[in-house]
Amino acid sequence: AFISMFMLGLYLDFDFQRETLLKIAKPLGIRLVVGTVLSFLIFRFVPLSLELKRTAMLVLFAPFASLNPLYTEKIGSDYKTSAMCNSIGIVVSMILFSAMLTVWNA
């Protein structure tokens, strides 16, 4: 856990330029759309208990791997954009987790 958070902190650089945000919007958008579709399919068609279905749905929205910036840098790509994508993905995931748990407990 320490190394994961260290890697995120090392490369964390919020650079809200239009090009950077467009690079980040595509993978995050695809991930959210796929997660939403798979969550619906799990909830509707998988023959498991409600608790297991909810757990599987939460897993689909779990944050990205924290060591992605390291691998991105090693292949010579833009590691700052990767780190920003991971950071925004974690924030979005935490918001989704909170919303889902709030709705389910209501």
Side-chain angles (χ1 to χ4, degrees):
F2 170 75
I3 291 176
S4 298
M5 296 311 290
F6 176 74
M7 292 304 298
L8 279 177
L10 184 63
Y11 295 123
L12 182 62
D13 183 23
F14 287 108
D15 182 21
F16 293 109
Q17 295 178 357
R18 183 170 175 84
E19 301 82 30
T20 306
L21 291 176
L22 290 176
K23 285 182 188 177
I24 292 171
K26 185 176 179 180
L28 284 178
I30 290 171
R31 182 174 179 269
L32 291 175
V33 168
V34 169
T36 302
V37 169
L38 290 176
S39 291
F40 173 76
L41 293 174
I42 287 171
F43 186 75
R44 189 80 174 130
F45 298 112
V46 175
L48 294 173
S49 68
L50 184 59
E51 292 83 16
L52 290 175
K53 288 181 184 182
R54 288 179 175 176
T55 302
M57 291 165 67
L58 284 173
V59 169
L60 289 171
F61 294 104
F64 291 172
S66 298
L67 291 176
N68 283 344
L70 177 66
Y71 300 126
T72 304
E73 181 184 15
K74 284 189 179 214
I75 63 171
S77 189
D78 184 10
Y79 63 88
K80 289 186 179 185
T81 302
S82 175
M84 186 172 160
C85 186
N86 279 335
S87 299
I88 291 174
I90 289 170
V91 171
V92 168
S93 293
M94 297 315 293
I95 291 169
L96 288 172
F97 277 19
S98 299
M100 291 168 80
L101 291 172
T102 302
V103 168
W104 290 340
N105 289 328

